[in-house]
Amino acid sequence: MNEIIVGFSRPKSGFEPFSWLIRAVTKSPFSHAYIRFYSEEYDRWLIFQASGAKVNFIGQTMFDGIETIYEEFNVPVSDATKNTVIQNAMDICGSPYGVGQIFGFGCVLFMKIFGKKIQNPFASTSSFVCSELVAEILIEINKDNAKVLDPSSMSPKDVYDFMISTGFQPVKS
């Protein structure tokens, strides 16, 4: 048995208006979701994320220098599932960050005010936001999650709430 870590963070930098907006709108202490896994071959922890302008990988040391980790969850997976998750991550690495999807997510949040649940009108299969990447991986790990997760309409806070509601316990630092 292996593991993948689902994590939540915010930038350490003081001037991060996009992070401020996400945290304010979602009433959350974090604005970013990511996947972390250990590569035995390279003897490194790697983070897979949608950040900046692209979907990318970053080493743990550099990530720790720019992000404040809020909480992380261990997700047990088989070796085969971990391999599939990482292969799929590599296949979409370099895809653009989903700026249009962020505007669509604003529409989703706006409609929530009126008690309406809508799908992201600007969802894309060729660009990604951080919470979407994590939700897609959670579906890949357990296909039953597809019944309850809508990756294109989820914020990092939504993914966090899903982790808690499905019985995952935060990793103690």
Side-chain angles (χ1 to χ4, degrees):
M1 194 55 106
N2 220 312
E3 71 179 359
I4 290 176
I5 310 290
V6 173
F8 302 90
S9 66
R10 64 176 174 74
K12 284 185 177 178
S13 172
F15 186 71
E16 292 288 343
F18 192 59
S19 174
W20 297 341
L21 182 62
I22 292 169
R23 287 183 279 158
V25 168
T26 61
K27 298 177 177 74
S28 171
F30 52 86
S31 57
H32 185 55
Y34 59 91
I35 296 294
R36 183 167 65 90
F37 63 91
Y38 186 74
S39 169
E40 288 182 23
E41 183 173 351
Y42 301 113
D43 190 25
R44 295 283 183 273
W45 282 97
L46 299 171
I47 286 81
F48 176 63
Q49 63 180 355
S51 179
K54 302 240 181 241
V55 173
N56 62 76
F57 287 94
I58 184 173
Q60 182 76 50
T61 303
M62 186 172 285
F63 185 81
D64 289 347
I66 60 174
E67 291 287 316
T68 299
I69 295 172
Y70 175 74
E71 216 146 59
E72 293 184 323
F73 299 83
N74 283 337
V75 179
V77 295
S78 68
D79 291 344
T81 297
K82 180 179 177 183
N83 193 53
T84 299
V85 165
I86 294 169
Q87 286 174 336
N88 290 342
M90 288 176 175
D91 289 344
I92 63 170
C93 193
S95 297
Y97 187 85
V99 176
Q101 289 166 255
I102 295 296
F103 290 110
F105 182 67
C107 295
V108 170
L109 289 175
F110 181 73
M111 294 307 288
K112 263 188 190 178
I113 294 169
F114 302 104
K116 303 277 184 194
K117 185 175 181 175
I118 65 166
Q119 290 188 325
N120 188 327
F122 302 117
S124 170
T125 57
S126 61
S127 64
F128 302 89
V129 296
C130 64
S131 50
E132 176 185 25
L133 282 180
V134 173
E136 291 285 356
I137 287 170
L138 291 171
I139 289 170
E140 193 171 306
I141 289 169
N142 181 351
K143 301 298 181 205
D144 289 340
N145 291 339
K147 298 172 188 164
V148 293
L149 295 177
D150 178 8
S152 69
S153 298
M154 295 182 78
S155 71
K157 177 78 164 84
D158 293 330
V159 176
Y160 178 86
D161 291 345
F162 172 79
M163 298 299 293
I164 295 292
S165 72
T166 54
F168 286 96
Q169 297 295 314
V171 175
K172 301 296 180 208
S173 301

